[in-house]
């Protein structure tokens, strides 16, 4: 886990320096992100609206610390939980499996991955991930650009808020807001 944290910091530093060197005028630059030091359970905790019940923690995002280049989230998946088939529009994603076993289907590749495994999902690539084991899976997700965290906030509530499901049209609006396409929302006859 420490090695993953060091790798994430290195990617962030490289990406931030590259972006800063490409910015030629003060008018195009963004305010500097705020540094954060977060323990495992710290960050913006949210509860999913849709079953199966579960929660996640947004760690790094424009809203949390002003990052304009990266988004980081942690999530636990109970046995049988699944991220349904979807594709991100404009963001690459890295999923790092901290604990447990997942079955990942990315593009034309499919296999089980275990603790320490990594899933790289290029933008515009169909992906689904399912907890394939009998224990809780712990994941770290890193996105190359903001966007998907808007979907995550739209389809979740803060811990002190009442969990109310969204209509199919509201789910589709959340997906649009979060730069993502969910195959089941696109194929649902009620949505056409």
């Amino acid at each position: 886990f420490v090695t993953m944290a060091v790798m994430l910091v290195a990617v962030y530093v490289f990406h931030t320096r590259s972006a800063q060197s490409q910015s030629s005028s003060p008018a195009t630059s963004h305010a500097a992100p705020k540094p954060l030091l977060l323990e495992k359970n710290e960050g913006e905790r949210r509860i999913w609206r849709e079953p199966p019940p579960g929660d996640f923690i947004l760690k790094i995002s424009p809203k949390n610390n002003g990052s304009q280049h990266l988004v980081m989230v942690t999530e636990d998946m109970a046995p049988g939980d699944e991220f349904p088939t979807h594709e991100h529009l404009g963001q690459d994603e890295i999923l790092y499996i901290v604990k447990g076993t997942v079955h990942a289907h990315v593009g034309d590749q499919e296999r089980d991955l275990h603790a320490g495994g990594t899933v790289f999902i290029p933008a515009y690539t169909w992906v689904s991930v399912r907890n394939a084991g009998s224990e809780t899976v712990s994941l770290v997700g890193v996105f190359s650009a903001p966007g998907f965290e808007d979907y995550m906030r739209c389809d979740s509530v803060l811990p002190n808020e009442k969990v109310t499901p969204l209509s199919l049209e509201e789910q589709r609006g959340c997906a649009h807001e979060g730069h993502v396409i969910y195959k089941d929302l696109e194929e649902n006859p009620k949505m056409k």
Side-chain angles (χ1 to χ4, degrees):
F1 190 68
V2 171
T3 302
M4 181 61 181
V6 170
M7 184 173 74
L8 290 172
V9 169
V11 168
Y12 176 76
V13 168
F14 173 77
H15 190 72
T16 301
R17 287 189 179 158
S18 296
Q20 288 171 347
S21 67
Q22 293 171 4
S23 175
S24 58
S25 72
T28 60
S29 66
H30 298 283
K34 296 181 295 184
L36 288 177
L37 299 172
L38 300 172
E39 292 286 356
K40 179 181 177 179
N41 294 322
E42 293 178 324
E44 181 185 344
R45 183 170 175 260
R46 304 207 44 105
I47 311 298
W48 287 112
R49 292 177 185 268
E50 308 302 325
D55 64 342
F56 59 91
I57 299 175
L58 282 166
K59 300 285 197 173
I60 308 296
S61 75
K63 182 178 176 182
N64 297 84
N65 76 319
S67 174
Q68 297 299 308
H69 305 289
L70 292 172
V71 172
M72 179 181 171
V73 62
T74 60
E75 183 166 359
D76 290 340
M77 298 174 73
D81 281 0
E82 178 178 19
F83 300 152
T85 304
H86 64 285
E87 67 178 0
H88 298 283
L89 308 177
Q91 302 98 0
D92 293 343
E93 178 183 8
I94 296 171
L95 280 179
Y96 178 77
I97 299 113
V98 177
K99 179 181 98 171
T101 302
V102 300
H103 184 81
H105 191 164
V106 181
D108 62 357
Q109 297 184 44
E110 184 174 8
R111 68 187 272 200
D112 286 348
L113 294 169
H114 307 87
T118 301
V119 181
F120 172 66
I121 307 139
Y124 306 100
T125 302
W126 290 110
V127 58
S128 65
V129 176
R130 177 179 47 84
N131 181 338
S134 58
E135 67 175 327
T136 297
V137 167
S138 295
L139 298 169
V140 174
V142 178
F143 295 86
S144 63
F148 187 64
E149 79 282 4
D150 293 333
Y151 166 81
M152 296 178 82
R153 285 190 180 100
C154 186
D155 197 19
S156 65
V157 298
L158 293 169
N160 60 345
E161 296 176 341
K162 182 179 178 187
V163 176
T164 56
L166 298 174
S167 69
L168 288 175
E169 196 59 40
E170 289 170 322
Q171 289 177 41
R172 200 169 195 198
C174 289
H176 177 75
E177 183 179 332
H179 310 276
V180 63
I181 296 173
Y182 278 90
K183 198 172 249 188
D184 62 340
L185 291 179
E186 293 300 313
E187 294 174 354
N188 190 316
K190 294 180 185 177
M191 299 305 295
K192 294 186 178 180

